[in-house]
């Protein structure tokens, strides 16, 4: 019996924290990777292509997107920065990803959004994915914009776009907030695999956290997509302990506090 052919994915941000986990985990789920980053990605693994390129350059992305089956866009600034840098790297960079996909005939884009797209939302037991955008930073604004661009490319050009509102991707939870927001190493691979594999999702937003007992987000859209997390931050609760911070009233935690006011 022959094994099914692997499908090729362009992974931006391949040198980053989540990029490295996907490089290690996605190939065993049937995806082969073309990895892109401006930073050093080390040696190519089996079946991998490495492209040193910048998401701020549309021509680079057009060349990198030719011939792949899907794009996973993890590249960009992973936290708050000056508006000009956020615009250039995160907003323009994400536009380049969708536009390169459209021109190359690639129909699936998985976009690394963030909980900071809705960071000024008060905590509730089950915040839905269609809660109104309430970014807590310029970084959060770039994630709202990336989701909006994805929606446009779905409705106008027929792409499938899955936006992952990632919580706190860490090897283990470190602070009380993480008992709600944690996304484990294993679950991030399961999440991206589901986002790549779901048949014709159209435009979908899902929360990217593990199956945390104390989670604040509606996980049903994720389950409908085929994302079934296996980890729960609660198993680390004794190590993390309890504690409160004034910004803990809001989903975005410290991003909503005065130290993130850099305007
Ligand atoms: C994010 O989106 C950031 O990339 C990461 O650095 C953390 O701040 C995370 O959210 C979080 O909310 O913990």
């Amino acid at each position: 019996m022959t094994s099914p052919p692997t499908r090729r994915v362009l992974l931006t941000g391949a040198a980053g924290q989540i990029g490295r986990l996907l490089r290690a985990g996605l190939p065993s789920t049937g995806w082969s990777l073309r990895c892109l980053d401006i930073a050093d990605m080390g040696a190519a693994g089996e079946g991998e292509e490495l492209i040193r390129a910048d998401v701020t350059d549309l021509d680079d992305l057009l060349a990198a997107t030719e011939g792949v089956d899907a794009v996973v866009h993890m590249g960009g600034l992973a936290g708050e920065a000056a508006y000009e840098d956020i615009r250039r790297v995160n907003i323009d960079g994400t536009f380049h990803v969708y536009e390169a996909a459209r021109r190359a005939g690639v129909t699936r884009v998985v976009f690394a959004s963030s909980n900071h797209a809705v960071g000024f939302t008060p905590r509730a037991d089950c915040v839905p994915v269609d809660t109104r955008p309430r970014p807590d930073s310029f970084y959060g604004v770039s994630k709202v914009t990336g989701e909006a661009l994805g929606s446009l490319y779905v409705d106008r050009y027929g792409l499938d776009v899955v936006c992952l509102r990632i919580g706190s991707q860490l090897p283990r939870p470190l602070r009380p907030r993480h008992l709600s927001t944690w996304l484990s190493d294993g679950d991030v691979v399961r999440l991206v695999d589901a986002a790549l594999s779901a048949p014709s999702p159209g435009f979908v937003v899902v929360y990217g956290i593990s199956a945390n007992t104390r989670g604040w987000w509606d996980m049903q859209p994720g389950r409908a997509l085929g994302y079934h997390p296996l980890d729960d931050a609660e198993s680390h609760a004794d190590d993390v302990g309890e504690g409160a911070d004034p910004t803990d009233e809001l989903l975005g935690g410290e991003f909503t506090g005065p130290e993130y006011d850099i305007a």
Side-chain angles (χ1 to χ4, degrees), residues 183-195:
L183 175 62
S184 73
D185 291 2
D187 284 339
V188 74
V189 176
R190 285 182 269 279
L191 175 64
V192 172
D193 181 37

Side-chain angles (χ1 to χ4, degrees), residues 129-186:
V129 290
D130 59 359
T131 191
R132 82 164 165 89
R134 292 186 82 167
D136 55 25
S137 48
F138 295 135
Y139 169 70
V141 168
S142 75
K143 298 305 182 182
V144 173
T145 308
E147 292 183 10
L149 282 166
S151 178
L152 174 68
Y153 274 73
V154 169
D155 287 335
R156 192 174 288 282
Y157 303 114
L159 266 62
D160 286 308
V161 173
V162 181
C163 300
L164 312 175
R165 281 193 194 148
I166 295 169
S168 306
Q169 203 296 306
L170 296 161
R172 63 182 188 288
L174 302 174
R175 296 189 289 108
R177 175 175 179 268
H178 297 156
L179 296 175
S180 304
T181 60
W182 186 52
L183 175 62
S184 73
D185 291 2

Side-chain angles (χ1 to χ4, degrees), residues 20-73:
R20 287 195 297 269
L21 294 171
L22 296 178
R23 280 180 76 181
L26 276 184
S28 64
T29 65
W31 302 99
S32 70
L33 297 178
R34 179 180 292 169
C35 300
L36 181 147
D37 209 298
I38 43 170
D40 181 21
M41 290 172 277
E46 198 186 328
E48 270 188 342
E49 293 172 78
L50 303 185
I51 299 179
R52 198 81 177 255
D54 191 338
V55 295
T56 65
D57 187 317
L58 178 58
D59 290 334
D60 277 3
L61 268 182
L62 286 170
T65 307
E66 278 301 326
V68 298
D69 299 295
V71 183
V72 174
H73 181 38

